[in-house]
Amino acid sequence: MKKKSMSADVLKWIAILTMFIDHMGAAIVEKTNIYLLPYGKMLDYVLRFIGRLAFPIFCFLLVEGFYHTRNRQKYLCNLLIFAILSEIPFEMSFLGEIVIGFRNVYWTLAIGLVMMIVLGKIPQISDVKSNFYTIFAVAAFAVLAEFLHTDYGAVGILLIYILYKTREDRKKQCILGALAMSYEITAPIAFLLIYKYNGVRKQKHLKYFFYAFYPLHLLFLYWVRTLIV
């Protein structure tokens, strides 16, 4: 059997690079006259299609982080801190103004993390009661994401739940994850990469770089757009 070759670090680099490509389309091409140029629309499609790989990988890494972190409260605090730091860059990059009520993807990931913490505390009284509590909890967090207008909203929470629930069966995890994201044409490709995950996590010294990349790259793209407009 061929050895799996995707470490967590490789997946993180793929996620942030495809995210950057995606946001080049959303924050620059779609917000400037580039979109009106010949092949501008096609360029946007290419960038956005490549970028669809990022979110499933981030959700997968969130679930892995949930199981591997020594301090889930600190993990949640990090997500919330960068959610706050990213909000203005997010809104300026994609909306061009400060808009109350639409929140970046860090909020989605934070809600997903809280959901997994809650699900882990559900008592295994009986299958019927446990399933009821689980369904209620997942539905509640999905509604919360929609209410807060987080990026990917309820769909993101449901994907996180699927990856959490099926973690012990990688093949099943990837198939169900791909089906959940099949409404985005290229997103299922991410699960071909996730399937190759080998469980190796090395570059801990770059942890905060990966956190900070999100708000920093949004600020950079907004700055580039101001030079073009």
Side-chain angles (χ1 to χ4, degrees):
M1 186 173 70
K2 194 172 181 180
K3 186 177 179 181
K4 294 185 176 182
S5 57
M6 286 285 173
S7 68
D9 302 314
V10 171
L11 286 175
K12 285 177 184 177
W13 281 109
I14 292 172
I16 66 171
L17 289 174
T18 54
M19 176 181 68
F20 184 79
I21 291 169
D22 178 64
H23 291 170
M24 285 174 61
I28 295 180
V29 176
E30 293 177 12
K31 299 295 188 297
T32 66
N33 288 333
I34 294 175
Y35 192 77
L36 302 177
L37 295 174
Y39 304 107
K41 192 172 183 179
M42 183 180 294
L43 172 63
D44 183 54
Y45 281 151
V46 171
L47 295 175
R48 302 306 301 274
F49 283 160
I50 293 172
R52 297 302 87 190
L53 275 67
F55 184 69
I57 296 175
F58 282 126
C59 289
F60 173 77
L61 292 172
L62 176 78
V63 174
E64 288 300 300
F66 170 77
Y67 281 100
H68 287 286
T69 185
R70 295 178 181 178
N71 190 330
R72 289 171 181 171
Q73 285 70 34
K74 182 179 179 181
Y75 191 13
L76 177 60
C77 284
N78 285 336
L79 290 175
L80 291 174
I81 288 170
F82 281 94
I84 294 169
L85 293 175
S86 301
E87 195 56 34
I88 291 177
F90 172 78
E91 293 176 8
M92 294 304 296
S93 294
F94 300 130
L95 305 176
E97 58 182 341
I98 306 300
V99 179
I100 304 299
F102 192 63
R103 293 173 176 84
N104 66 77
V105 75
Y106 266 126
W107 296 104
T108 311
L109 298 177
I111 292 172
L113 180 59
V114 174
M115 176 187 68
M116 290 188 286
I117 292 172
V118 170
L119 292 176
K121 295 183 181 298
I122 292 177
Q124 301 300 310
I125 303 171
S126 68
D127 289 341
V128 174
K129 287 186 177 181
S130 296
N131 289 337
F132 172 78
Y133 291 143
T134 297
I135 292 171
F136 179 80
V138 174
F141 285 109
V143 169
L144 177 62
E146 286 294 310
F147 176 76
L148 295 177
H149 299 289
T150 68
D151 202 6
Y152 278 93
V155 172
I157 300 303
L158 293 175
L159 176 62
I160 292 168
Y161 171 69
I162 288 171
L163 299 178
Y164 165 82
K165 185 68 175 179
T166 59
R167 183 176 179 268
E168 299 303 319
D169 186 337
R170 182 64 51 75
K171 186 175 182 180
K172 183 177 180 180
Q173 185 184 44
C174 290
I175 290 173
L176 293 180
L179 288 173
M181 296 301 295
S182 60
Y183 71 96
E184 292 187 329
I185 298 174
T186 51
I189 296 173
F191 292 95
L192 296 177
L193 303 175
I194 290 170
Y195 186 72
K196 300 290 288 181
Y197 176 58
N198 58 19
V200 175
R201 305 164 65 87
K202 291 182 178 179
Q203 298 178 347
K204 292 184 179 180
H205 60 287
L206 291 178
K207 180 175 71 172
Y208 287 103
F209 165 79
F210 289 118
Y211 276 115
F213 183 85
Y214 186 75
L216 291 177
H217 94 281
L218 291 177
L219 286 172
F220 173 75
L221 292 174
Y222 177 69
W223 173 71
V224 170
R225 189 171 81 222
T226 61
L227 296 179
I228 296 174
V229 174

